[in-house]
Amino acid sequence: MLLLPALAFGLWNRPAHAEEKPVEIPAPAIALAETGTTATAVFAGGCFWGVQGVFQHVTGVKNAVSGYAGGSAETATYDLSSTGTTGHAETVEVTYDPSVVSYGELLQIYFSVAHNPTQLNYQGPDHGTQYRSTIFPVDDAQAEFAKAYIAQLDATGLFGAPIVTTIEPLKAFYPAEQYHQDFLTLNPTWPYIVYNDLPKIAALKSLFPDAYRNEPVLVGTL
């Protein structure tokens, strides 16, 4: 994949790391009332390459866009957010059909295979607040639902450590640069992708076979 020269070195040298093991977890004990055929969920869980790739393989997802949330428009770039000083987290905006896949099911996948929710301000090899585990609810109903599900999962003890996922107001979502979109699909042999992200796709297929779609829904050109 062609990258801007100044960025190619940094992206290639994101260190590989032993993949995070998925955790089989229960579905939410309650359901969130959802209507219509289009809804939005916004998640941060480490490098957005893998999080985007996971949700692109979920049936009922219409689009999954990598981007930034938590900071201002002026600092919503890879170069600036990578400093960890902008308030942004690498984030994925998921557009989905709630008549096919619910917000609760997306949260179950998010906590189970998309990332490790017990790692504070890092995810695998990536360290800094820009890699924090955060849910950005689009409304109060999503916020309360996510809070209740975190409490439910913590009570199970399945993760072996407390969940550190934060719930932050969604001020705005800013799409990432084009070269970050569909990165997992376009670069399946990159060492970082092979070691950190392809196992997440395999775990999605194994743990959520009814939700798995073989052909990902891609962003294409923004």
Side-chain angles (χ1 to χ4, degrees), residues 95-108:
T95 305
Y96 65 100
D97 182 348
S99 69
V100 178
V101 61
S102 68
Y103 185 67
E105 289 169 327
L106 294 178
L107 278 178
Q108 188 179 10

Side-chain angles (χ1 to χ4, degrees), residues 63-123:
N63 204 5
V65 179
S66 290
Y68 311 99
S72 66
E74 293 74 19
T75 59
T77 68
Y78 181 72
D79 280 349
L80 293 176
S81 66
S82 292
T83 66
T85 62
T86 68
H88 281 297
E90 292 196 9
T91 303
V92 176
E93 180 186 64
V94 180
T95 305
Y96 65 100
D97 182 348
S99 69
V100 178
V101 61
S102 68
Y103 185 67
E105 289 169 327
L106 294 178
L107 278 178
Q108 188 179 10
I109 290 169
Y110 167 74
F111 284 116
S112 177
V113 303
H115 81 308
N116 183 337
T118 69
Q119 296 179 342
L120 182 63
N121 294 331
Y122 78 99
Q123 199 65 205

